[in-house]
Amino acid sequence: MISFEEITKIYDDGRMAVSGLSFEIQKGEFFVLIGPSGCGKTTVLKMINRLIEASGGRIMIEGRPVDDYKLNELRWNIGYVLQQIALFPHMSIAENVAVVPELMKIPRAESDKRVEHLLSMVGLDPDVYRDKRPAELSGGQQQRVGVVRALAADPDILLMDEPFSALDPVTREKLQNDLLELQRNIRKTIVFVTHDMREALKLGDRICIMKDGEVVQIGTPNDIVHRPADDFVREFLGDAAGREGFGASALTAEDLADPLAPDSRLVADGAVTVRADTALGELLWHFAVEERLLVRRGDEVIGLLDRDKTLRRMAREFQEGGAAE
Ligand code: ADP
Ligand code: MG
C-alpha cells in the first residue's frame, strides 16, 4: 500500500538524513518506526505526505508515486498526529475536529455523525465534550481529540509522530490501549513513530528499527525479540521485551524448532506434528509424552523440536530475562 523504493533525503545543509530506504507497508497494517533521536523517523513520516520532498528514490501509495497526487488529495487522505497537537483555542472540540471535513465539503450531518462516533470511540462522550474549549481538557484528552481530528475525514492512512510521548505513563498507557481498540474497529494503515521499544512491541504489527538513516531490521514484535538482527537491536530492546510479556512464554514452535532437512525419515515415522504457531504452553503438554515434535506450516514440515534441547533453551531464556514477566 505504501512502498519506499531506495529513498534518500539530503537536507539543504548537505546532511544525509536517510539513505537507501526500501520497504513496504501493507494496507491495514500498524507499522512502527523506531530508533534513536535523529535517526530519520520524522523525515520518513513527512515524506509520505510530502511535507518533505525526497531527494532520491520514490514513494508509492496504492501503486501511484506520491508526486502524482494533488497535494490536497494526498493530505486529506492521510491523517497526521503530532506529539503536541495544536488545537485552535477559540474553537470548540467539535469545530476543531470538523476542520478538514469542512474543507473537503463533506455534508455537515455526515461529518457530525462521524465525529461523534469517533469521540465516543476514544472515550470522550460527545454530549459532554462537543462544546468544550481545548483549554478545558487535560493533555491526554487533547491528544485524543488530535487522533479524532486526524481521522475525521476518514483517511486511509494515519501518520503518528511520537503522539503519546509528552504524556504521563498512566495516560500514555490508556491512549495506547484506546488506539489498539480503535484500530481493531477502523483498520487504517498506521505509521507510528516512537523511540520507546515497549510502545513499539505493544502496538506494532511490524516494527522497523532505524539507525543513522538506515533500516537495521524489520519484523514482527516476536521476530525482533527472538531474532534480533544485531547488537544494536539487542541493546535497543533492553528489558522492554520482558516487560511487555515477550519473555520465553511468548515463544512458538517455529521460534524454537531446528530446521529439518526435506528428506528426513521422521515424517514417515508418524511423529506427532504441531502447527508453527503453537504456543510454548501447549508444547509442554506434548513434551510430557513425546520426545520429538515435527513443526508444520500448512502442509509443509518446517522443523523439528527436541524435548531436551527445548527445555535447555527455555531455561536459558528464563534466566536471561523471562524473570521480569
Ligand atoms: P528523528 O525524527 O528520528 O529524531 P529526524 O528525521 O527529525 O530524526 O532527523 C534526521 C536527521 O536529519 C537529523 O540528523 C536531523 O538533525 C536532520 N534534520 C532534520 N530536519 C532537518 C532540516 N530541516 N534541515 C537540516 N537537517 C535536518
Ligand atoms: Mg522525530
Side-chain angles (χ1 to χ4, degrees), residues 20 28 73 76 157 195 205 230 238 260 297 304:
E73 186 190 0
W76 288 346
I157 299 169
H195 56 255
D205 292 320
D230 61 14
L260 193 66
R297 196 196 296 114
L304 174 69

Side-chain angles (χ1 to χ4, degrees), residues 36-43 45 83 161-162 193 195:
S37 181
C39 73
K41 306 181 294 295
T42 296
T43 302
L45 217 57
Q83 185 176 329
D161 197 348
E162 313 214 18
V193 165
H195 56 255

Side-chain angles (χ1 to χ4, degrees), residues 11-13 15-18 35-44 52 161-162 193 210:
Y11 282 107
D12 292 342
D13 58 3
R15 174 188 282 276
M16 174 97 87
V18 301
S37 181
C39 73
K41 306 181 294 295
T42 296
T43 302
V44 167
I52 293 176
D161 197 348
E162 313 214 18
V193 165
M210 292 180 62

